[in-house]
Amino acid sequence: MVDVTVKVGADTVTASYGVRPSGSGIVPYETLPYKGSVSATANQVPSISQVSFLPGVFEFVDFADARSNNYGFGAYFQPQVGGLRASGVDQTIFQMRPNSSTRASEIPAQSTGATNNLSLIRIGGSGSIVRSPILSDFTLLGTEQGHLYNGLLLYYATNAQIMRVKIKHIPGNASSQPGETFGGNDYRSTGSKYSFMEFDGDGVGASGFGGNLGSNLLITDSVSKNNPYSAGFTCNTYTDITYRRVVAIDNGKMGFNFERVGGAVLLDKCTMLRNKTYHINIASDTVSARYSIVDPVFDGAKLNVKVSGFAGGAMKQDINAIDLIINGVERPDLLNLIRG
Amino acid sequence: MATTIAFDTTKSPIQMIVTTDQHVGQLKGTVTVGSDTTPYQQNFTRNPVVINDSSGATWKLVSDDMGFPASKVVYSL
């Protein structure tokens, strides 16, 4: 906690603030007996408890949790862990000890199209178990491991809340798997809410954020940047997505990517600058969504939206269901639909 | 009414809301906070609240409501 004293006229008032919450249901990590790793220590909490962390660097060694062939995590927080509540971005840092991975030989070749199933952190549920974790106020930092991997995996969650988290330097090298890794991956989850997030590819990332097989995603006041190999934000097989005041900048492909996305998609006051291909890419061979793009900030004369099929299948997206609205007025004249 | 402090940790950065019935302001080189009840005037300087943060962090003025008799001043880290 930090004390603040405020003097106004004759009044002097002191109060305290701290981003690390405390109270019922929140267990300070430092009070738990150390069990050899961050995850093993945290996983001792009674279900369902959040774990809070002081400022400092919390390291994992290797992708050793839940290990099987081409699968594993630096820290697998089991479903009894209801959240990770730390002390601030750049104050509490989770990372893998540099060059501690033994998994380089298990990374699939790009030609296989298989998935890279290594992530630094996994939290949420487990198949039939669905959880609602809360994550806040930390940095997840990629370190050199000699191979590609993913950052944060939110797994089988409902109404998860992730706020004020920076995910930085997660390495990728392609816009399709396995080289398309994710800084943050929202997997088979519904109702996830992300706010004040920073997905910083730091010149090595593929996609800053990726959502798969989920619904009702809300991301606000967040940025994805410096991912040279793929999109700022991408979702595949997802329904109902809202991005509000979200920035995609300096990414190697598009700012926002939608693959097989249905339902309603709203991009409200989003910024798309210096992304290398399109501002927005929509690719679907299965469903069509209603897209509302409201008051965007973009470079160039028009908003470039690529619309195509997916995976060799015919395009199912209705191009008449893509609306650009600026200051309350539909502006099809500023919408450049590029048929693929 | 006294001076109160509230923190909004849902914001990023954190915001601090100072609500006071003290006269929030400073007239040309003369400290007038406290007992001064002079209404708002053109040379009334804003952001007069003295803040000491034990972590050394600096708070920045976000907005103020100079209404009398009470004022609300919002700062962010």
Side-chain angles (χ1 to χ4, degrees):
Chain A
M1 302 296 284
V2 177
D3 295 326
V4 178
T5 301
V6 173
K7 293 183 179 179
V8 189
D11 278 352
T12 299
V13 182
T14 298
S16 299
Y17 72 91
V19 298
R20 186 170 88 140
S22 59
S24 177
I26 302 176
V27 180
Y29 176 83
E30 67 273 16
T31 67
L32 295 166
Y34 185 67
K35 293 293 183 181
S37 71
V38 173
S39 54
T41 302
N43 288 337
Q44 298 174 92
V45 296
S47 187
I48 298 170
S49 303
Q50 299 174 42
V51 182
S52 68
F53 294 83
L54 290 165
V57 176
F58 296 83
E59 276 196 338
F60 348 111
V61 175
D62 204 355
F63 295 90
D65 283 2
R67 180 171 185 158
S68 62
N69 185 39
N70 182 28
Y71 195 83
F73 308 97
Y76 171 25
F77 296 101
Q78 296 171 358
Q80 65 268 29
V81 178
L84 307 174
R85 312 297 299 275
S87 294
V89 166
D90 296 335
Q91 298 298 308
T92 301
I93 299 171
F94 295 106
Q95 67 178 48
M96 183 166 287
R97 184 175 299 166
N99 301 302
S100 66
S101 173
T102 61
R103 314 295 296 275
S105 64
E106 300 173 33
I107 305 301
Q110 188 65 26
S111 59
T112 66
T115 303
N116 183 326
N117 285 316
L118 302 179
S119 297
L120 293 179
I121 287 179
R122 170 179 155 176
I123 191 166
S126 178
S128 61
I129 303 171
V130 179
R131 291 291 189 246
S132 305
I134 303 175
L135 284 67
S136 66
D137 300 294
F138 61 84
T139 293
L140 178 61
L141 182 62
T143 53
E144 179 57 44
Q145 300 298 335
H147 63 79
L148 309 182
Y149 54 88
N150 301 280
L152 172 67
L153 174 60
L154 178 69
Y155 194 85
Y156 280 94
T158 182
N159 298 325
Q161 300 175 62
I162 302 95
M163 49 203 168
R164 298 184 300 272
V165 172
K166 181 200 293 187
I167 303 175
K168 184 175 182 179
H169 200 84
I170 304 301
N173 66 3
S175 58
S176 61
Q177 57 190 29
E180 186 192 19
T181 56
F182 298 129
N185 184 202
D186 184 282
Y187 184 74
R188 290 191 183 276
S189 296
T190 184
S192 299
K193 296 177 176 64
Y194 297 80
S195 59
F196 303 107
M197 300 292 294
E198 182 176 338
F199 303 97
D200 182 357
D202 200 28
V204 303
S207 283
F209 172 87
N212 296 102
L213 301 162
S215 63
N216 294 306
L217 172 68
L218 173 63
I219 301 182
T220 64
D221 302 293
S222 297
V223 61
S224 183
K225 62 183 182 181
N226 299 327
N227 295 283
Y229 300 105
S230 195
F233 297 86
T234 184
C235 286
N236 180 297
T237 315
Y238 221 98
T239 304
D240 297 326
I241 299 169
T242 297
Y243 293 109
R244 183 165 283 128
R245 297 180 301 275
V246 171
V247 175
I249 188 167
D250 290 322
N251 298 297
K253 297 290 185 182
M254 60 293 293
F256 295 87
N257 188 39
F258 302 91
E259 299 170 350
R260 294 177 172 168
V261 168
V265 175
L266 170 64
L267 291 95
D268 183 22
K269 298 180 178 65
C270 292
T271 297
M272 295 155 267
L273 296 173
R274 299 195 302 273
N275 301 295
K276 295 297 188 295
T277 58
Y278 314 104
H279 297 112
I280 296 169
N281 185 66
I282 300 169
S284 181
D285 60 331
T286 55
V287 293
S288 181
R290 164 63 66 179
Y291 288 84
S292 300
I293 308 159
V294 180
D295 295 332
V297 175
F298 56 95
D299 40 11
K302 293 189 176 186
L303 185 74
N304 295 317
V305 179
K306 171 81 175 297
V307 188
S308 67
F310 185 71
M315 184 178 81
K316 290 292 179 65
Q317 174 62 41
D318 178 3
I319 61 170
N320 295 312
I322 303 170
D323 296 323
L324 173 61
I325 302 160
I326 297 177
N327 296 326
V329 178
E330 283 202 37
R331 295 298 301 271
D333 55 309
L334 295 180
L335 186 59
N336 181 31
L337 290 177
I338 304 162
R339 298 284 295 269
Chain B
M1 175 190 163
T3 298
T4 61
I5 306 171
F7 297 98
D8 186 348
T9 58
T10 67
K11 297 290 195 311
S12 182
I14 292 172
Q15 290 191 348
M16 174 171 65
I17 300 101
V18 178
T19 305
T20 182
D21 60 358
Q22 299 293 304
H23 206 163
V24 180
Q26 188 174 40
L27 285 170
K28 287 185 176 179
T30 303
V31 176
T32 59
V33 293
S35 59
D36 186 276
T37 55
T38 304
Y40 182 89
Q41 54 188 254
Q42 189 173 3
N43 58 3
F44 201 88
T45 304
R46 298 187 179 199
N47 197 17
V49 177
V50 178
I51 301 172
N52 178 49
D53 186 304
S54 65
S55 74
T58 300
W59 292 83
K60 299 173 183 175
L61 181 67
V62 172
S63 65
D64 56 18
D65 166 15
M66 301 298 284
F68 287 92
S71 292
K72 185 169 75 176
V73 189
V74 180
Y75 298 88
S76 69
L77 274 175

